[in-house]
Amino acid sequence: MKRHLIVIYVAVVVLVLAGRTAWQNCMWEILSSVSSAAIIVAILIIGWRVIRLQPDAGDEIMLKGELLATTRVVIIVICVGALIAGFGDTFGRYIFGCR
């Protein structure tokens, strides 16, 4: 669980720094690019155990305990990241403006 929190905190800090840079330079496209990269890295770090799973031909994967929590966090990160990557430049420009 510590890994989840560390990755989420790092992603938030990176997005805040990218937002500040975008606000100062009035280049909100930076936020979309950085958020896409942050989301990919976060998914790879958090979901590495899920990605490595290889069921046999007839097996089913049962998500229990920590693996279920990891999968939930990955899905939330994907949703939030897609929202920021898709609309970050639009919302940033109209809500925060430029310096």
Side-chain angles (χ1 to χ4, degrees):
M1 194 62 169
K2 289 181 185 178
R3 182 174 31 167
H4 297 150
L5 292 175
I6 291 170
V7 169
I8 289 173
Y9 289 149
V10 169
V12 167
V13 168
V14 167
L15 289 175
V16 167
L17 291 175
R20 180 173 167 83
T21 303
W23 178 68
Q24 285 179 339
N25 299 326
C26 200
M27 294 178 56
W28 286 99
E29 297 79 21
I30 293 172
L31 187 63
S32 296
S33 302
V34 169
S35 66
S36 298
I39 297 311
I40 290 170
V41 170
I43 290 169
L44 288 176
I45 291 171
I46 294 173
W48 188 248
R49 288 184 52 205
V50 177
I51 293 169
R52 282 190 341 196
L53 281 178
Q54 295 180 354
D56 292 334
D59 288 348
E60 295 180 7
I61 296 177
M62 300 296 281
L63 298 176
K64 296 179 183 176
E66 185 182 339
L67 197 56
L68 179 61
T70 299
T71 306
R72 285 182 182 163
V73 170
V74 167
I75 290 171
I76 291 170
V77 166
I78 289 171
C79 293
V80 171
L83 184 67
I84 292 172
F87 297 106
D89 55 343
T90 305
F91 290 150
R93 184 168 289 137
Y94 292 116
I95 293 174
F96 299 110
C98 296
R99 184 172 185 194

